[in-house]
Amino acid sequence: NAGVTQTPKFQVLKTGQSMTLQCAQDMNHNSMYWYRQDPGMGLRLIYYSASEGTTDKGEVPNGYNVSRLNKREFSLRLESAAPSQTSVYFCAIWTGKQETQYFGPGTRLLVL
Amino acid sequence: DQQVKQNSPSLSVQEGRISILNCDYTNSMFDYFLWYKKYPAEGPTFLISISSIKDKNEDGRFTVFLNKSAKHLSLHIVPSQPGDSAVYFCAATSGNQFYFGTGTSLTVIP
């Protein structure tokens, strides 16, 4: 998906476990995003990073933390997973207005 | 509160006919709008966008119309093809944050 990679592709966690979702881009753009997609809810923004070293909350940040490690990588961490965090997580980059967002292939997370 | 709404969860169209997908928004500060197509188990793929200074943008079979006074945009696909069957999301932004609709599942019947 246009130079945005995500790992893992699928993960099962037990309630209370922690994990980090990884996202990397090879397109050298500043802005990176984490979304979650749930049935009937569309895509909702969790966190975004407008540039290396900066992060901001989106619509649904509770229960998540992020790290913009460098320009290329933006990780999403669940410190104590809950069943409500069962979702499909997408990472995206923004190339600027008059352009577009490119999305990664997604990570399917199941929290039992 | 949902700032971008797609009120039709699904739409079925015959191959060769026009598909019209609709989207409404509430925030008058939005100045850039996008449409995405999504297949199962894949990330959304950009289709077409429009700036608030325009009322129409066309790219091949896809045309997006923007009516700012009504806070409404629509995506027209002509002619519709079976490969267009997917979920379509509209999105809006005024800066760094993007707001997505809940999606419309389009089925194009051969």
Side-chain angles (χ1 to χ4, degrees), chain A residues 1 31 33 35 37 40-45 48 50 56-59 90 94 96-106 108, chain B residues 1-2 31-32 34 36 38 40-46 49 51 54 87 89 91 93-103:
Chain A
N1 280 43
S31 298
Y33 300 78
Y35 293 90
Q37 185 195 5
M41 299 293 289
L43 286 91
R44 292 181 293 169
L45 182 64
Y48 67 98
D56 286 284
K57 295 179 180 179
E59 292 179 81
F90 290 102
W94 172 234
K97 281 183 182 171
Q98 313 314 318
E99 298 188 49
T100 186
Q101 273 185 321
Y102 289 100
F103 282 83
R108 291 183 175 274
Chain B
D1 191 28
Q2 195 83 16
D31 61 359
Y32 193 63
L34 309 94
Y36 291 87
K38 186 182 181 304
E42 294 184 9
T45 303
F46 171 74
S49 63
S51 166
K54 295 184 176 181
V87 177
F89 292 97
T93 184
S94 60
N96 284 320
Q97 291 207 36
F98 290 80
Y99 296 87
F100 282 77
T102 52

Side-chain angles (χ1 to χ4, degrees), chain B residues 63-76:
Chain B
T63 303
V64 56
F65 295 92
L66 176 63
N67 182 335
K68 288 194 295 290
S69 61
K71 294 191 179 68
H72 178 83
L73 67 155
S74 61
L75 174 68
H76 292 211

Side-chain angles (χ1 to χ4, degrees), chain A:
Chain A
N1 280 43
V4 180
T5 58
Q6 292 183 236
T7 54
K9 290 185 178 178
F10 181 69
Q11 183 74 44
V12 179
L13 290 179
K14 294 181 180 178
T15 296
Q17 287 186 314
S18 62
M19 79 162 292
T20 299
L21 285 68
Q22 305 286 355
C23 175
Q25 56 138 335
D26 61 5
M27 302 183 75
N28 201 37
H29 288 288
N30 286 320
S31 298
M32 298 184 74
Y33 300 78
W34 275 107
Y35 293 90
R36 59 179 289 173
Q37 185 195 5
D38 302 293
M41 299 293 289
L43 286 91
R44 292 181 293 169
L45 182 64
I46 305 171
Y47 270 94
Y48 67 98
S49 170
S51 61
E52 184 179 348
T54 68
T55 60
D56 286 284
K57 295 179 180 179
E59 292 179 81
V60 289
N62 292 344
Y64 304 95
N65 286 303
V66 289
S67 294
R68 184 70 184 269
L69 305 169
N70 46 54
K71 190 170 186 178
R72 201 176 155 268
E73 298 172 290
F74 188 35
S75 61
L76 178 72
R77 182 159 178 86
L78 287 71
E79 291 290 352
S80 179
S84 61
Q85 294 178 305
T86 292
S87 188
V88 182
Y89 292 85
F90 290 102
C91 177
I93 63 171
W94 172 234
T95 62
K97 281 183 182 171
Q98 313 314 318
E99 298 188 49
T100 186
Q101 273 185 321
Y102 289 100
F103 282 83
T107 294
R108 291 183 175 274
L109 176 65
L110 174 61
V111 183
L112 302 174

Side-chain angles (χ1 to χ4, degrees), chain B residues 8 16 21 23 35 39 48 77 91 109-110:
Chain B
S8 298
L21 296 93
C23 180
W35 282 96
Y39 293 118
I48 192 168
I77 306 174
I109 304 164

